[in-house]
Amino acid sequence: MGYFSTTRTIGILGGGQLGKMLLNTTRQWDIQTHILDSNAQAPARIGCNTFVQGDLMDYQTVVDFGKNVDILTIEIENVNASALAHLEEQGVRVYPQANVIQTIQNKCLQKEFYKKNNIPTAPFQLFKSIEALKDAVARGWVSFPFVWKSESMGYDGYGVKIIRSNQDLETVNEGPCMAEDLVNIEKEIGVIMCRSVSGETVNYPSVEMEFHPTANQVEYVLSPARISKTVEKKAQEVARKVSQAYQHVGLLAVELFLTKEGEIWVNEVAPRPHNSGHYSIEASYTSQFEQHIRALLDLPLGNPENKVSGVMVNLVGAPNHKGPVHYKNMEHILAIEGVCPHIYGKKETRPFRKMGHITIVNKDLETARQIAEQVKETIEVISK
Ligand code: ADP
């Protein structure tokens, strides 16, 4: 049952940059693709065959969109998972499966899943409300410092807060939550797994997130990670175990903590293309996006190894700039060898909005890292 140059269709929930980059592969292979997004100007609108404007969290909208496609996938996990479960019952192939999305949408369920499957993760306790958490603190069952995490979807750090005092506890949102031990982090690393319909699995080499020394923001993603062979082996083993436990189809980005004691603990996962895998477009034999499409179509998976080292820098809106976007100094960075910019096509910039990314490839990782710094200092995302 071919998808190449036929009317068979892949539907993607979400039309952001991740959706747009998936479309490079579907266009290359002439595969019909439909996109659903609430924003009429979504970056992926230009590369799909049919663009539908609608709310990803609305049950009926997702059902109506999904029944017109053969395979349904996501590029964002904030989608109506009950609609996906219904579509599965109706015979639509939903990858990742509805139950995987349901588990990862809830941070507390996700942590319980790791515990149940003997997957190493930071110790935690669950609470039905902030009152219950405060009570546990008062009784000495939870002690400062700890990390508060809201059960429901956070994004880029919202819904996560380090709590050092009773005063800090007053600043968090209501609702079910967990108290997680504060991990003594040596490095944050990630392993992207991919699993096809028939269960073939590949793992990408670990990447390393390098944080800005003062602002708590990932500044560079380095591939491969600067870790020992022993740590790499351990990270791969843990990621593989996570992938086997979920039995997902498609990509699974596994975020890991390397602790100061040399342990590898799972933080959380995303069953979709991930920012930490953007480097793979230029630096790997098979990009994460192509790999995802291969997995959904149950094709042989591609080689996940690096051809070359890669460092990725997110291109975010400059502080104090809001309005129609202008990319300043593009011509300067393009004069440097190995610099590969990606512009997502968002017309308006806002402070720290992800507008694009730049991958720097080089045979030598340290050289790529130095060029990345130069690129970051040169390019500016501003409004004129
Ligand atoms: P989000 O889903 O919003 O991205 P995460 O759970 O990934 O939230 O947490 C965001 C960041 O907070 C992590 O990348 C890490 O730097 C820090 N963090 C999360 N959990 C812990 C922990 N238990 N101990 C120390 N730092 C943590």
Side-chain angles (χ1 to χ4, degrees):
M1 287 201 284
Y3 278 76
F4 307 103
S5 294
T6 70
T7 55
R8 298 189 135 253
T9 303
I10 298 179
I12 305 174
L13 297 178
Q17 60 265 21
L18 301 171
K20 183 184 176 196
M21 289 185 270
L22 280 169
L23 297 174
N24 283 340
T25 300
T26 56
R27 280 295 183 192
Q28 186 178 336
W29 290 352
D30 195 33
I31 296 170
Q32 283 274 333
T33 314
H34 294 183
I35 295 264
L36 177 69
D37 198 285
S38 60
N39 175 5
Q41 296 303 315
R45 74 194 180 284
I46 54 162
C48 58
N49 301 90
T50 304
F51 180 80
V52 180
Q53 192 178 2
D55 182 358
L56 301 174
M57 291 305 290
D58 182 67
Y59 180 88
Q60 201 54 47
T61 305
V62 173
V63 168
D64 290 344
F65 176 81
K67 64 188 183 203
N68 292 321
V69 303
D70 299 283
I71 294 178
L72 187 58
T73 191
I74 58 166
E75 62 108 53
I76 182 167
E77 49 267 22
N78 298 39
V79 298
N80 191 306
S82 312
L84 297 182
H86 173 76
L87 287 163
E88 270 175 356
E89 281 166 20
Q90 302 297 309
V92 178
R93 294 156 210 225
V94 180
Y95 304 135
Q97 303 89 323
N99 72 313
V100 174
I101 297 176
Q102 270 154 355
T103 305
I104 62 101
Q105 277 181 339
N106 179 318
K107 274 189 197 264
C108 296
L109 271 184
Q110 196 180 144
K111 285 289 280 192
E112 281 187 312
F113 178 84
Y114 300 137
K115 196 170 165 188
K116 196 176 89 202
N117 286 283
N118 280 321
I119 289 164
T121 191
F124 65 99
Q125 294 178 61
L126 304 184
F127 298 95
K128 290 213 154 40
S129 65
I130 292 297
E131 294 320 311
L133 169 57
K134 284 182 182 165
D135 184 57
V137 169
R139 290 168 190 266
W141 297 340
V142 173
S143 41
F144 302 126
F146 64 87
V147 182
W148 164 86
K149 293 188 179 183
S150 162
E151 168 192 90
S152 51
M153 302 289 302
Y155 211 74
D156 289 341
Y158 303 107
V160 174
K161 194 169 173 144
I162 299 177
I163 305 294
R164 300 186 187 277
S165 64
N166 282 314
Q167 222 171 350
D168 287 347
L169 257 184
E170 298 301 325
T171 62
V172 301
N173 297 332
E174 281 302 325
C177 61
M178 79 174 100
E180 189 178 75
D181 282 12
L182 181 66
V183 180
N184 216 349
I185 300 173
E186 172 70 21
K187 261 181 205 244
E188 296 198 30
I189 60 182
V191 174
I192 292 182
M193 303 291 309
C194 194
R195 189 173 173 279
S196 73
V197 176
S198 49
E200 185 191 355
T201 305
V202 292
N203 19 336
Y204 283 81
S206 296
V207 295
E208 170 185 347
M209 284 18 120
E210 192 181 319
F211 282 75
H212 187 276
T214 50
N216 188 27
Q217 243 193 356
V218 178
E219 206 168 18
Y220 305 105
V221 175
L222 286 81
S223 174
R226 295 168 296 188
I227 52 178
S228 70
K229 282 209 169 81
T230 318
V231 172
E232 172 68 0
K233 191 162 168 270
K234 214 173 191 175
Q236 295 293 339
E237 277 166 12
V238 172
R240 194 164 268 270
K241 195 167 175 190
V242 174
S243 173
Q244 272 165 8
Y246 277 112
Q247 296 278 298
H248 59 103
V249 171
L251 294 167
L252 187 77
V254 185
E255 296 180 16
L256 301 163
F257 294 140
L258 167 62
T259 70
K260 296 257 188 232
E261 295 74 34
E263 299 293 326
I264 293 283
W265 284 349
V266 175
N267 177 29
E268 59 175 5
V269 302
R272 53 165 173 79
H274 195 260
N275 191 260
S276 65
H278 289 352
Y279 78 90
S280 66
I281 296 174
E282 287 89 7
S284 310
Y285 286 100
T286 313
S287 83
Q288 61 165 344
F289 302 99
E290 178 180 324
Q291 202 74 277
H292 189 65
I293 300 293
R294 284 176 180 244
L296 308 185
L297 301 183
D298 207 17
L299 296 166
L301 297 183
N303 180 355
E305 296 298 315
N306 284 37
K307 293 186 278 199
V308 64
S309 296
V311 176
M312 195 273 311
V313 188
N314 283 317
L315 204 48
V316 300
N320 310 320
H321 283 265
K322 193 170 179 297
V325 64
H326 173 68
Y327 296 90
K328 192 174 156 197
N329 294 333
M330 275 293 268
E331 64 282 16
H332 297 308
I333 64 161
L334 280 166
I336 311 169
E337 200 183 314
V339 172
C340 316
H342 292 253
I343 306 288
Y344 299 152
K346 301 173 187 175
K347 302 295 174 221
E348 301 270 317
T349 184
R350 289 194 298 267
F352 307 109
R353 186 177 191 196
K354 272 187 199 154
M355 302 297 287
H357 74 263
I358 301 172
T359 299
I360 295 93
V361 290
N362 199 285
K363 0 185 237 305
D364 177 52
L365 182 67
E366 282 310 319
T367 308
R369 169 66 186 73
Q370 278 162 21
I371 296 173
E373 201 163 324
Q374 190 186 344
V375 164
K376 201 174 159 116
E377 281 165 11
T378 308
I379 184 101
E380 276 187 275
V381 184
I382 57 172
S383 66
K384 268 197 176 168

